[in-house]
Amino acid sequence: QVQLVISGGGSVQEGGSLRLSCAAPGYNQGMNTIGYFRQAPGKEREGVAAIYTSGGNTYYQDFLKGRFIISQDKTKSMVYLQMNSLKPEDTAMYYCAAAPSEVLVFTPREYESWSQGNQVTVSS
């Protein structure tokens, strides 16, 4: 397991942008998938975006319709989630997670390390 630290959430008006950062020391030494998930009150945790760290392949949920971008900086052991054109329905607690292999990216049980939650609130 690795210790993950997520930062960058907050409150924003509809249509605004936020960038989440996931610090994952050593992730490029054994964690091959980094994913971002979110959970709104009363709803199940859902995958948002993920990246295979070796080849850089990225994956997004269809409902995002291109609004979010996941990227990595291996030199800093960081994975970012740029969130644009935010909507009130994006309001949730966000998490980043790591898995040691190239997993089914939107399946929470595939991941073995999780960050603490980081609140994102989008107001209309």
Side-chain angles (χ1 to χ4, degrees), residues 65 72 120:
K65 296 184 179 179
Q72 63 179 345
V120 170

Side-chain angles (χ1 to χ4, degrees), residues 82-99:
Q82 179 66 41
M83 304 184 293
N84 301 317
S85 301
L86 283 162
K87 304 176 180 181
E89 52 262 43
D90 294 318
T91 295
M93 191 73 75
Y94 283 71
Y95 304 84
C96 62

